[in-house]
């Protein structure tokens, strides 16, 4: 179980780190997030910018919490991640149900409208974070080999989660022309 906790910390940590970095490094990324939040129509107009900045700060904070050597601090980070991911999933679900359209501004620029795949992605990540909390109660990893494998597996899986839209586009079938 201790290696599961290591892998989950790395997976969730890299997802939040990439999300944070794409917002602070790329020019206009926060503005894209503000625009996306406005299109969701879930918040009062005057609170959208503050919410975008709060989300960005929370993502960076969660990444830092998960990178700490303290199991208790990392568990707090996993709890915060699970909560934030659940809020994202519910918000996207409310938006999709209303028929509103907004693009995913989660990991930089995207032209993919928010939809079921984003709800599922965030729900699965929240579930993984909860599993990490459950696994965090076990003793710390003692063997370096399995811990490194768990960490690298978590990092790779986290990167794949952040590129979900690209992967689905890559492996989707092209639209067929209408038949007569």
């Amino acid at each position: 179980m201790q290696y599961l906790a290591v892998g989950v910390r790395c997976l969730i940590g890299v997802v939040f780190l990439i999300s944070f970095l794409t917002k602070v490094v790329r020019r206009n990324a926060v503005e894209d997030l503000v625009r996306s939040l406005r299109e969701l129509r879930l918040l009062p107009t005057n609170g959208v910018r503050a919410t975008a900045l709060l989300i960005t700060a929370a993502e960076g904070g969660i990444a830092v919490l998960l990178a700490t050597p303290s199991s208790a601090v990392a568990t707090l980070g996993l709890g915060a991640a699970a909560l934030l991911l659940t809020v994202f999933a519910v918000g996207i679900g409310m938006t999709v149900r209303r028929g509103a359209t907004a693009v995913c501004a989660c990991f930089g620029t995207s032209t993919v409208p928010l939809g079921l795949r984003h709800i599922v992605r965030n729900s699965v990540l929240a579930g993984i974070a909860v599993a990490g909390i459950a696994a965090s109660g076990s003793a710390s990893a003692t063997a370096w080999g399995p811990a490194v494998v768990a960490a690298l597996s978590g990092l790779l899986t986290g990167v794949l989660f952040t590129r979900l839209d690209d992967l689905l586009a890559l492996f989707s079938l092209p639209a067929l022309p209408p038949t007569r």
Side-chain angles (χ1 to χ4, degrees):
M1 289 294 277
Q2 68 266 24
Y3 301 112
L4 175 63
V6 169
V8 168
R9 282 174 62 176
C10 290
L11 187 159
I12 301 296
V14 78
V15 166
F16 278 93
L17 179 64
I18 290 171
S19 185
F20 171 74
L21 289 177
T22 59
K23 289 176 183 73
V24 298
V25 171
R26 194 178 59 79
R27 171 172 271 155
N28 297 329
V30 172
E31 291 306 315
D32 290 343
L33 179 59
V34 167
R35 188 172 21 272
S36 181
L37 288 173
R38 277 197 183 109
E39 291 170 1
L40 295 176
R41 294 179 302 183
L42 295 172
L43 302 165
T45 306
N46 59 353
V48 171
R49 176 169 298 287
T51 301
L53 294 173
L54 183 62
I55 288 170
T56 303
E59 291 170 341
I62 288 168
V64 169
L65 291 173
L66 294 174
T68 62
S70 166
S71 178
V73 173
T75 300
L76 178 65
L78 288 171
L83 178 63
L84 190 56
L85 288 161
T86 301
V87 168
F88 290 164
V90 169
I92 294 167
M94 291 169 60
T95 300
V96 169
R97 184 177 174 139
R98 276 196 340 262
T101 58
V103 296
C104 178
C106 310
F107 305 108
T109 59
S110 176
T111 58
V112 177
L114 290 169
L116 181 60
R117 73 172 71 169
H118 300 99
I119 298 167
V120 170
R121 178 193 64 204
N122 289 334
S123 298
V124 167
L125 286 170
I128 291 170
V130 170
I133 293 169
S136 293
S138 60
S140 62
T142 54
W144 280 98
V148 169
V149 170
L152 290 175
S153 298
L155 292 171
L156 175 62
T157 305
V159 169
L160 292 175
F161 266 104
T162 67
R163 305 311 319 160
L164 180 65
D165 287 338
D166 297 331
L167 290 170
L168 290 175
L170 180 66
F171 292 109
S172 67
L173 296 174
L176 298 175
T179 58
R180 294 185 173 183

